[in-house]
Amino acid sequence: MNRTKTSIQLEWEKFSHLFKREEVWAKTILLKEGEIAKKIYFIEKGCFRLSFNNDGKDITFQFFFEGEGISSAESFRYNQPSLYSIESLESSIVHSLTKTDYFKIIKNSPLIKQDIEEQTIQRLLYIEKLFLSRIKNSPEERYKELLEQYPKILQRVPQHYIASFLGITAISLSRIRNRR
């Protein structure tokens, strides 16, 4: 099968020398809550979660998979302490980019700047939907949405992280799964 690369893929390749390929083990913390994000990561292979500590309780609030970028945007952009941690849930491969190189790319490529702006808007829309879902939907409806978005999540993410993401206990998640 002959696949032609898109113009945006070709544009990104011009800057491939700025990326550092990193292999990370499962349970590796890329960024700790309270630290300043120095890198942005693009996931080639693997699964990651964003989490924070709430009065001693570990709360998972987002998952990331292959083809997605991950960082603490506010921390990375504005040098503020990250509000959350980034952790690998399985052995993974990421391509990291320093802040200096990130801004070098943005400055030198209007096409990539436009691509990143579009990705940022898509991420914002996702977060809006997630926020609304947390307010209006039952845990069972949120579970169904999660399975639709990430059909293989049950094979890749431990149940207690999925339960935390849904805002329920692992026992409640088990009940929901048994009803399906």
Side-chain angles (χ1 to χ4, degrees), residues 2-179:
N2 185 11
R3 289 187 160 190
T4 15
K5 294 186 177 180
T6 65
S7 57
I8 192 64
Q9 289 171 318
L10 293 169
E11 187 72 7
W12 275 106
E13 283 181 8
K14 290 179 187 176
F15 299 98
S16 63
H17 64 283
L18 299 175
F19 288 85
K20 180 183 175 195
R21 185 180 187 273
E22 298 180 39
E23 294 183 20
V24 296
W25 296 99
K27 307 294 283 169
T28 298
I29 305 289
L30 294 181
L31 177 67
K32 288 182 185 170
E33 182 177 348
E35 290 182 346
I36 305 291
K38 305 274 189 229
K39 296 179 182 178
I40 188 168
Y41 302 90
F42 296 91
I43 304 168
E44 177 183 326
K45 175 184 172 285
C47 171
F48 293 80
R49 75 181 183 113
L50 302 185
S51 65
F52 62 92
N53 183 297
N54 185 21
D55 292 327
K57 188 175 180 184
D58 180 59
I59 306 292
T60 298
F61 68 95
Q62 209 167 0
F63 298 105
F64 287 82
F65 298 91
E66 288 84 2
E68 296 181 309
I70 187 171
S71 186
S72 174
E74 188 174 359
S75 178
F76 184 76
R77 182 79 186 213
Y78 300 111
N79 289 318
Q80 296 181 353
S82 176
L83 300 174
Y84 50 84
S85 296
I86 300 172
E87 178 185 16
S88 62
L89 297 180
E90 57 191 31
S91 293
S92 303
I93 299 171
V94 295
H95 298 268
S96 65
L97 192 61
T98 65
K99 185 182 290 196
T100 302
D101 289 338
Y102 172 83
F103 285 111
K104 187 185 301 181
I105 292 171
I106 298 300
K107 181 181 178 192
N108 291 300
S109 176
L111 187 59
I112 289 178
K113 182 177 181 180
Q114 181 182 1
D115 183 48
I116 288 174
E117 287 173 354
E118 180 58 31
Q119 289 177 34
T120 302
I121 290 168
Q122 291 301 315
R123 197 95 209 115
L124 176 63
L125 295 175
Y126 168 80
I127 290 168
E128 285 178 348
K129 288 177 186 175
L130 185 63
F131 176 75
L132 292 173
S133 176
R134 290 281 176 122
I135 293 170
K136 68 178 188 158
N137 294 340
S138 70
E140 195 157 354
E141 290 168 320
R142 293 195 305 268
Y143 177 72
K144 183 181 173 198
E145 288 173 349
L146 184 65
L147 290 182
E148 287 170 2
Q149 185 176 11
Y150 300 114
K152 295 185 180 181
I153 197 165
L154 296 177
Q155 288 81 42
R156 299 182 72 182
V157 176
Q159 185 167 319
H160 64 282
Y161 292 142
I162 294 172
S164 174
F165 173 80
L166 296 172
I168 60 176
T169 65
I171 293 168
S172 295
L173 175 58
S174 184
R175 287 185 188 127
I176 290 171
R177 290 179 65 188
N178 288 334
R179 285 195 287 259

